[in-house]
Amino acid sequence: MLRLSLFALTISALTAVAQNPVVQTCHTSDPAPMVHDGVMYVYTGHDEDRADFFWMQEWRVYSSCDMVNWTDHGSPLALESFSWADDRAWASQVVERDGKFYWYVCAHSTISGGMAIGVAVGDSPTGPFRDALGKPLFENGTWDHIDPTVFIDDDGQAWLMWGNPRVYYLRLNRDMVSYQGELGMLPMTEEAFGGPSADKRERGVTYKDSYVEGPWLTKREGVYQLLYAAGGVPEHISYSTAPTPVGPWTYAGVVMPLTDTNSFTNHCGVADYKGHSYFFYHTGKLPDGGGFGRSIAIEEFKYNADGSFPVIMPTEEGVDPVESFSPYRRVEAETMAFSKGVKTEQNDKRGVYVTDIHNEDYIKLRNVSLSSSSKGVFTACVASGLRGGKIEVRVDDVDGDLLGTLDVHGTGGWERWKKVAQRIYPVGKA
Ligand code: FUB
């Protein structure tokens, strides 16, 4: 059994197969993408293993430069980061302004006894983050206050929206941690959302659709778009459009229809990156997944000519790489296109590392630009409190050509890290 901290030269040039779910080392939910400095980040919730409710305790962040190989940055924000929060680390979103990163969350508040909207601030997209206020940004004792989405408009006005089963909003001040004016609420009408919100629907009446939760506010070609989980349980994703953030909103149709994703919730985020448009959502599709064990997934899509959303279906294949992956540099071991068996953990000394490595487990990197002729050296930082093991580097498949084998001996403890290196040979020469 091993722990791995970094690969200095790494693995394979594997070709396309399943890319969804994006993370296999734990359950991730409620994805919120953010592009910063040429990097795609996705902020997620964390469903506990074998949970029977959304007993969620922390938020996580992953990053990628090619959309298929994702680096796990661990959990820089958790319930403990907020003195007032004790439960339900539910959906969140991060935005950058003036060099600072604002992470809007919702959690159960010990102050009001309801759900509250909070905000953490950090100097980098991966933290560290701290509670910006030491108290919720908004709460009033009800359970409606979940799933914040944040959007900075072209005129500099930042909008915060959230809610289940109604959509609330606030105009944020430039400091991003205070607001002006009163709490607003969108009219939850049939015209705006295809039907009234779940609590107002009449029995026996068929509606086109209805807003439930998980709003994502964005703007395209001057039109505001609000995507959201819709239709009750199970949820699909729909959207509405408006000429201003406060409306009037008009129902615009279904974006991701109901299919068998093994999750009765869905929650989306949208981002453009390197000339492509991406739809982030979640399913229950890990082998041990389900309604309380969700996993983020991504689909690429193209907007219709008029800027409207096409219908986007969940797939296992997910997205293609947008550029190749160079292994000739330091690559964190917790960078993966896909993995089997392994987990990630973090501590203050080591940061994030790969652990729980057993025979036949693997980590796959995709679209790796391996030189077909040159030799290299594969270096890993490892720890093993037992006898250690072997790390094989293979191309294209777990049974593909062997490039080299790194022998890892016991290092004398699970926290005793050691660098080990092995020459890597061109394909067919190991
Ligand atoms: O993750 C907990 C809750 O489930 C979120 O806040 C909702 O959007 C739904 O995905």
Side-chain angles (χ1 to χ4, degrees), residues 88-145:
R88 302 180 195 212
W90 287 2
S92 71
Q93 189 182 339
V94 177
V95 75
E96 184 269 345
R97 180 158 228 181
D98 301 331
K100 296 228 179 284
F101 297 83
Y102 297 91
W103 196 334
Y104 297 90
V105 303
C106 61
H108 181 259
S109 164
T110 54
I111 301 173
S112 68
M115 288 296 284
I117 303 296
V119 56
V121 62
D123 294 327
S124 96
T126 54
F129 289 90
R130 62 174 198 287
D131 184 355
L133 296 170
K135 60 180 184 181
L137 174 65
F138 185 85
E139 66 176 339
N140 63 8
T142 77
W143 293 81
D144 288 11
H145 306 301

